[in-house]
Amino acid sequence: MSMPADLETDSVRLREAMAKGLAADGVLADPAWRQAVEAVPRHRFVPGFYLPADERDEQGLTVWEPVTAELDYGRWLAAAYSDTTLITQFDGEEPDWKAPVVRHGGAPTSSSTLPSLVVRMWADAEVTDGHTVLEIGTGTGYSTALACERLGSADVTSIEVDGRRLEQAASALYGLGYTPTLAVADGLYGYWPEASFDRIVAACSFRAIPPALLAQVRPGGKILLTLSGWLYGYARVLLTVAEDGTAEGRLLGGTVSFMSARTHAAPVFGNPAHWAAGLPDKPRATPHSPERIAAATEEAFHLRFLAQSAVPDAQMTTVGEVVHLVDVVTGSAATLTPASHGWAVREGGPVKLWERIERVLDAYDTAGRPGPETFTLHVYGGGQHLRHPQMPDLPLPRP
């Protein structure tokens, strides 16, 4: 099936409508970024993607339907210009968009991030004319194209760990006349050949600030990235790098998550029942419900990030009514089970996982439940600590 003759006309109309909507939401306050959104054709970067079906399959897995212009032109183009993240790859497997198949479940490993977040990231990093930038996580290349449109290709470097992803992004970028520096590289190490940069912006998340990034930013330059962990708590941070190589910055508000850098992804931990079998028989009561860090609320999202700093190697899963915490690094585990008056916890191993989380929750409550924007991150001498004036320091894992 050939593309409709009015594709470009349709895309211009939808692109203008998307920019107008983002501006109305306050995302495109800078006219230069609005002009970039109006100029860059997002559909050229997403020849195919997956959207979730309305219902799950018989195993309860999400059914992901492939969407291309050949399969459904209207749905494809409308989604390309919606403020939606479009999944383009699962489990590191590159799809054949000429003959795509429905997927059941799977872990997303590449996507085209929703445009409002892309623009928000560039704006929050305080990127402006004359800046040289390193983007970590090229993905489809749409975000890279916006930066090239705003700054000029010569000032943009973008790296991607997946060579097949980068090849497709490069084809789309070069086809539109954008010629940034592109490289297959692990974002954990930045990209020394093009350093130093005025700004580094990461479209993936890290468990801690990679030291190589600090060394590749000019004094006074900034790094914007998302911190994450194995409890799937996230927080964005904007750091300013000092002359001595240390950095300090604040957490930014809002619920934002990115896929983890592949070398920082959580390990598989096996069967939770095997971990629970070795725990003490006698439980103790806990004053805190696991819902405090597991609920689908902004406060729980924030608390999960703080709790994660206290137990950086723990993972959490729920089986029936039982919440399991598992730490594959130290061999520690805990279970939380509903009791007649609240919750009961059993803990075993060298690290009392839930006890550490309880301390964070107690300190957070005592401090008056402070929001993310009241915390700062300090990076110095190999150490990284999250700080709040009314709470104990919370260390991040060693990078």
Side-chain angles (χ1 to χ4, degrees), residues 134-138 157-161 166 181 183-187 190-191:
L134 170 64
E135 176 188 42
I136 297 174
T138 313
T157 298
S158 187
I159 60 175
E160 169 63 49
V161 71
L166 189 67
T181 298
V184 177
D186 188 334
Y191 198 60

Side-chain angles (χ1 to χ4, degrees), residues 260-285:
S260 294
R262 297 191 186 185
T263 48
H264 279 196
V268 177
F269 57 79
N271 187 337
H274 296 165
W275 291 84
L279 298 178
D281 293 331
K282 187 175 181 180
R284 66 174 176 85

